[in-house]
Amino acid sequence: MSRQFISHDKMTAWLDALSRDRAVLVPMDDCGTVTFRPYVPGRKALLDKMPVRAPKEGVFPQTETLLRFKYDKDPENLDRVKVQVREVLPTQKAVVVGGRPCGARGQLILDRVYNCDTMRDPYYVSRRENTLYVTVACTSAESTCFCHSVGSGPDDSEGSDVLLVPVEGGYVAEGVTERGRELLAEGDFESASQARMDEAGAVISRTRSQLGEAHDYSDAPRKLLERFDDMDFWNEQAAICISCGACTYLCPTCYCFNMTDEQSGLQGKRLRTWDTCMSFEFTLEGSGHNPRPTKAHRLRNRMGHKFAYYPELHEGLIACCGCGRCIKSCPVSLDIRAVVQAAQNHNAVPEEAEEKADA
Ligand code: SF4
Ligand code: SF4
């Protein structure tokens, strides 16, 4: 597939064109934080910055209305109440522009949960079908990036419809999917010269070399499960965690939610909102019992889910795209790479030796 090129000034016109009949989410400055916001013509999109929040909110918003309800009371008989329920299915066409390859790949983790043979979440599926991803390849790697250790990389196009590689004066563009190629037709792209394609290749090679050697997670599921009952290990790993939940709220692959009803008078709506497994309340049962009562139990669950349980269910696929957001944004610098590696480095005590020690 031949590559195309678009200059910086024509990029703005392309975003304007895309936003004519679609919602367009782009990274924007929001009080000093780069995060996805609806594109407004005339306001600068920060395509060269990695957004703090994940592009998943294009298809899995932080808060969404699932349905609206209304009570109809019979004035002649106040005991007779009818409830009208109206499902709110999202139908808005959208494009998320400016996520990174790791974030787009994170979408594939969510697909296996919300859009699979055994489960089709109608809200997620509707958004997914109506939303396209225009991803920007990485021109440098941060110390927290480890996408290459989980099967991805700075120009990974999985999960994207269009991949843009920044070069001098603009972007080299690849239409990854048919729908992505249709998006390119709406902009003033030109055929990319060999020199620009070479430059794009050099940008990606440089970023890859900054990532260093990839870590091998192949025995992580087994090693984490071996440590499952070792609460000394988990207490040690979770000692500095303050259960703030930032790691899960910013993660492109976390997909837990809570549902609440908000009512005003005789009408209301049902909301779905992101939730965090790092909070005590997440598993608190009505009886008062909590199966994950300490932060050690909760960190064990988060690590186990991403690096052991999910891979077991999904052909070895690790439920982490290596974006490093949780590491960068954790207020106490808890590094999940270090937790998994500690489990990998931990030598299981052979049962025989344990028995001798006990004797
Ligand atoms: S961001 Fe850090 S401190 Fe906050 S819950 Fe996650 S691991 Fe704990
Ligand atoms: S667990 Fe951390 S590094 Fe992995 S996808 Fe989530 S935020 Fe990114």
Side-chain angles (χ1 to χ4, degrees), residues 302-324:
R302 180 163 161 254
M303 293 297 108
H305 177 245
K306 290 191 181 296
F307 288 86
Y309 323 145
Y310 188 104
E312 275 205 348
L313 289 172
H314 298 285
E315 301 145 276
L317 185 66
I318 292 176
C320 165
C321 58
C323 70

Side-chain angles (χ1 to χ4, degrees), residues 167-180:
V167 292
E168 186 68 34
Y171 300 89
V172 168
E174 176 192 358
V176 180
T177 64
E178 190 52 46
R179 294 202 299 165

